[in-house]
Amino acid sequence: MTDFSPDDLADLLAFHLEAGVDVAIGEEPVDRFAESAAAARARAAAFAAGGERGNGAAARPSAQPARPAPRAAAPVAPGGMMAAQPPDVAEMAAREAARSAENLEALRTILEGFDGCPLKRTATRLVFADGNPQARIMFVGEAPGRDEDVQGLPFVGRSGRLLDLMLAAIGLDRTSAYIANVIPWRPPGNRTPTPQETAICLPFIRRQIELADPDILVCLGGPSAQTLLGTKEGITKLRGQVVSYETGQRTIAALATFHPAYLLRTPLGKRLVWRDLLAIEALLAKGGHREGG
Ligand code: URA
């Protein structure tokens, strides 16, 4: 390692980045192939030993010690972090923690200290929100990507630039819109969040919406729409329909549209998004639909 010049190291990092290796989850590299080969060898040896004794049951337990202790293999959290909680315990803790937040700043602080979501261990930082929390309209995406993880703000990469253009098309910008994600920590390598991770984060984003109290909620993409609107319907069917969203305090108008990342891959989708943007503009002009508050 000491033979590398700073320029070599920068090139090496750039190479990793371009190859898609953009998350460091441990201090030391772990050879997973060697690990599973050792486990397979141990299973084979245990099976052979069990066979000699005529006792196949030996195979399962004796295969296990061959794996390194979980501590060594487990992702190391920045700053050294907690053991994972069982998901149902984490979900309950999330509900309680979210409920206890009296305002958005308190919610951010609570999330900073919440250790129940495994994604926190691999993310660089919390990505809470951007824009104006007093805005009448709130946009919610799925989860931060690499740029968001680096900057700690949602939608600041390529998708974010397209989102800014979408906002501008209807006279909005980050001073007149509030922006957040269902998941506030970047999933490693931008993988899809698991249903459990989503369930753990859901009470927080629901509380964030309740506290921001927008008139209009816009779900960006299928995962955000399905999670927040509680449906399994695909985004192609969901988009463009104005539905009701219960914040806990009142009913507001909600609408789903395609995610900007989808539009970057599928520019033809912009035609439909244009319609959605006009529907959003019309909702803003008539004040969303306020019921019960
Ligand atoms: N995609 C999202 O869903 N959210 C972001 O913040 C960035 C990209």
Side-chain angles (χ1 to χ4, degrees):
M1 210 53 184
T2 46
D3 293 344
F4 286 110
S5 70
D7 280 351
D8 289 340
L9 288 172
D11 286 348
L12 198 56
L13 273 178
F15 169 79
H16 278 110
L17 206 58
E18 278 159 20
V21 183
D22 58 358
V23 181
I25 58 172
E27 294 291 330
E28 299 293 333
V30 177
D31 185 346
R32 306 282 177 202
F33 294 108
E35 246 181 53
S36 44
R41 274 198 303 277
R43 272 196 303 277
F47 181 75
E52 276 161 25
R53 287 194 311 271
N55 175 12
R60 253 178 307 159
S62 55
Q64 284 181 1
R67 288 187 76 82
R71 225 181 138 66
V76 175
M81 219 175 281
M82 68 288 162
Q85 288 174 342
D88 50 341
V89 174
E91 260 178 71
M92 258 166 43
R95 275 199 292 275
E96 241 174 68
R99 207 176 314 126
S100 73
E102 297 204 335
N103 53 49
L104 288 169
E105 265 325 294
L107 185 66
R108 180 201 286 267
T109 307
I110 287 169
L111 265 168
E112 297 274 11
F114 182 74
D115 287 338
C117 180
L119 293 175
K120 182 178 179 183
R121 277 177 271 161
T122 48
T124 310
R125 53 179 55 79
L126 176 74
V127 177
F128 184 67
D130 195 17
N132 182 354
Q134 252 97 55
R136 293 182 49 222
I137 184 161
M138 178 168 179
F139 290 79
V140 181
E142 181 184 16
R146 182 164 58 86
D147 296 306
E148 291 75 20
D149 184 59
V150 170
Q151 295 190 39
L153 292 169
F155 285 100
V156 288
R158 281 185 73 214
S159 304
R161 283 193 287 282
L162 183 51
L163 176 61
D164 287 338
L165 292 177
M166 288 160 62
L167 296 180
I170 49 170
L172 297 173
D173 59 22
R174 293 187 188 223
T175 66
S176 49
Y178 186 53
I179 303 168
N181 281 305
V182 170
I183 310 278
W185 293 282
R186 182 202 183 193
N190 294 350
R191 68 159 168 76
T192 302
T194 66
Q196 278 165 356
E197 290 158 354
T198 303
I200 292 168
C201 294
L202 183 58
F204 292 110
I205 183 63
R206 282 197 53 87
R207 185 70 177 144
Q208 195 170 352
I209 296 167
E210 183 176 4
L211 291 167
D213 194 28
D215 291 337
I216 299 160
L217 173 69
V218 180
C219 301
L220 295 168
S224 164
Q226 289 168 348
T227 305
L228 293 176
L229 306 180
T231 172
K232 289 198 167 23
E233 201 73 78
I235 185 67
T236 313
K237 279 243 175 87
L238 281 176
R239 59 145 286 280
Q241 297 177 40
V242 181
V243 296
S244 292
Y245 176 87
E246 304 291 335
T247 66
Q249 300 295 326
R250 66 187 181 111
T251 306
I252 61 169
L255 185 141
T257 192
F258 289 136
H259 194 287
Y262 169 81
L263 294 179
L264 288 171
R265 298 191 300 271
T266 323
L268 264 184
K270 287 181 186 168
R271 292 183 192 171
L272 295 173
V273 168
W274 176 239
R275 284 194 215 162
D276 301 341
L277 290 170
L278 292 178
I280 292 167
E281 194 176 35
L283 277 173
L284 276 169
K286 76 170 198 217
H289 67 228
R290 280 181 181 265
E291 284 168 26

